[in-house]
Every structure is written in structure tokens, then in C-alpha cells.
Amino acid sequence: MKKMWVWHHRLFLLCILCGLCFSPQFTRGYADSSAGRILNQVGGDHQIHCSRERSRTAWKIIQEYLMPFVEKEKYHIPRRCRFHPDNDIYRDQEQHKFHTDINEWQCGYCKKSFYEEKHLDQHFDNRHSNLLNLNDSQCLADVCGALHCDHEMSSGSKKSKCNPSAAARNKHLCESLADSCFPINEGPVTSRLHELFLHQFCDAHSCTGSRQQPFSRGRRKKTNVFYIFVSILLVILLLLYYLYIYLYQRGMKKETQVLKRISQTSRKKKPS
């Protein structure tokens, strides 16, 4: 009886320990100890409250409207700057996304193909969310207000009414980004880039007077693929035309020489 009581006691303690390990309070505490972007767990899958589309738009704006000037100055974005690639939670996944054809997007991790980019994004969320750098990276969509993501995403549509409080908040965020990414006390290069960033992004955050359009300093010049294709085609057609002219003139010369020979032989054969 004593042995039976000991075994029952041990089994009871083991059940209590298992219940504590798998209780919601325990798992929630484990999730909270991870990156700030992991908000909860549903069925074992992390839910990350960070818009992939807006993060992609922010990255596009940085590459087109900021990086050409940064590269011209041969300046390296510091790690503390929110625009550094390592601070984008989706950067590694975006680099493993390949647009192989008009209706084909391929996953660089497992080589699966999809008809649309949004389906590939869902695949990343479902199958490769464990590859996200949740500890060090941040949500790039958080700086969309400063970078005019809405303006870029809704280009061509009706302009929205300016909100003074939102404009002031976005301008403050924009100026803090300029200070952290391009400190004016680190030399003439960062000072110039700081001033350029203010004109390119921050000055447009205003509802008073004549509203300045964002990206006033221009963007990266895009290479027009259609223009290149047409140029190559014209060069090929031009070469074919000159080849035809050359062969035609060469053929005419040969025919003229043959006719001269025939006429000369016919004259020699005539009786005197």
C-alpha cells in the first residue's frame, strides 16, 4: 500500500508539472519574451502585425528616392538607421522572391511557384515564417507616414484631405529619421544628405500654404526595357538593310561582268 501511495503521489506531481508547462499563461509568457512584433500564438503560428505590402512600398521608396543620392555620396547607411536592410523584418524573404515570368513567382527557399505575388506572400507566412529575423529587425511599415507611402500607393487617384495633426506627427517622425540616419555633426557628407532628406521627404508634411509635393529632388532613373528592345531591333534591321544593299550591288556587278563577257564572245564569233 505504501508503494502504491508513493507512485500515485509521483503521478499526481507529474500531471501538475505537465499542466503548468502547457497552460496558456506559460506559452504566452514565452511568446512575450520573443520579439515585440510577435503578438500572440494561434495554433502554433506566429501572428505578426506588420504590413508586408506597406513595408515593400517603404523599401521601394527608399531605393528609388533616397539611395541614388546616398550612393552618389558613397555613404553607408548605419545599422542604427531604420532604413538599413537588417532592420527590415521581411528583407530576407523579399530577397528570396523571384519573378521568373509574367504569371510566375518562385520561392527561393523551396522553389515552389505561384501565379501571383500575394500567393507567394501567403506561402512565406505559412511555410517560412520561422526564417524571419524577429529579434533584431523592425517593421519598416512603421515609417510609412514619414516616407509618404500612401502617396506612392495611391498615385493617380484622388488626393486625400490634409490632416494637420497627422502631418505634424509624420514630420516629427521624418525629422527624427533624418537625425538618426544622417547626423549633421558627422561631416559634410551626412550634413548634405540630412538636408536632402528634409527636402525630399519632410518638407511635404504640411497643410499650410502651397503644399509641396514629396520627392521634389527626383528619383532613380529607370531603364526602359521597351526602349532598349526597340533600339536593338532597329540596329538589327539597319544591319540587315545594309547587308541587302551590299549583296544587291555585288550581284549587279557580277551580272554586268557576265553580260560583258557574253557580248564580247558573241562579237568574236561573228563572220567578217
Side-chain angles (χ1 to χ4, degrees), residues 75-263:
Y75 178 71
H76 296 286
I77 298 290
R79 182 66 173 80
R80 66 176 178 272
C81 177
R82 295 288 295 274
F83 306 145
H84 193 280
D86 291 344
N87 292 329
D88 180 10
I89 193 173
Y90 295 120
R91 185 57 14 219
D92 187 71
Q93 287 189 350
E94 290 294 317
Q95 289 175 344
H96 284 81
K97 181 185 292 184
F98 301 104
H99 195 188
T100 56
D101 205 348
I102 297 175
N103 294 320
E104 185 175 0
W105 293 81
Q106 189 179 68
C107 172
Y109 297 117
C110 62
K111 308 304 179 184
K112 282 188 177 181
S113 296
F114 302 87
Y115 289 111
E116 295 184 45
E117 186 179 14
K118 63 180 181 180
H119 297 315
L120 179 54
D121 291 340
Q122 292 173 358
H123 170 75
F124 281 148
D125 293 337
N126 296 332
R127 299 295 181 184
H128 304 299
S129 60
N130 60 314
L131 299 175
L132 293 173
N133 184 11
L134 300 173
N135 295 321
D136 300 326
S137 299
Q138 303 176 38
C139 182
L140 196 59
D142 291 345
V143 298
C144 260
L147 298 180
H148 306 277
C149 290
D150 292 329
H151 178 274
E152 184 72 7
M153 295 172 71
S154 62
S155 57
S157 60
K158 188 177 179 181
K159 293 181 179 180
S160 59
K161 189 177 180 181
C162 185
N163 186 331
S165 60
R169 185 168 59 252
N170 289 331
K171 187 166 187 176
H172 177 73
L173 173 61
C174 187
E175 290 174 347
S176 66
L177 289 170
D179 293 337
S180 62
C181 297
F182 313 107
I184 56 177
N185 60 348
E186 290 189 2
V189 172
T190 54
S191 181
R192 287 194 298 268
L193 289 173
H194 185 278
E195 188 69 19
L196 179 138
F197 189 87
L198 294 178
H199 287 300
Q200 185 80 316
F201 299 99
C202 304
D203 290 349
H205 290 298
S206 175
C207 295
T208 58
S210 57
R211 291 178 60 187
Q212 179 179 326
Q213 290 296 318
F215 320 132
S216 59
R217 295 297 181 91
R219 64 192 300 172
R220 186 188 298 273
K221 294 181 179 179
K222 292 184 176 180
T223 304
N224 195 323
V225 179
F226 178 75
Y227 174 78
I228 294 174
F229 174 77
V230 171
S231 301
I232 294 173
L233 184 62
L234 287 175
V235 170
I236 293 173
L237 290 175
L238 194 63
L239 290 174
L240 290 174
Y241 172 75
Y242 281 116
L243 180 62
Y244 170 77
I245 295 295
Y246 170 76
L247 293 176
Y248 177 77
Q249 291 180 348
R250 186 178 177 183
M252 289 293 293
K253 287 181 180 179
K254 285 184 177 180
E255 289 182 3
T256 305
Q257 291 176 357
V258 170
L259 290 174
K260 285 182 178 180
R261 289 175 184 175
I262 293 172
S263 62

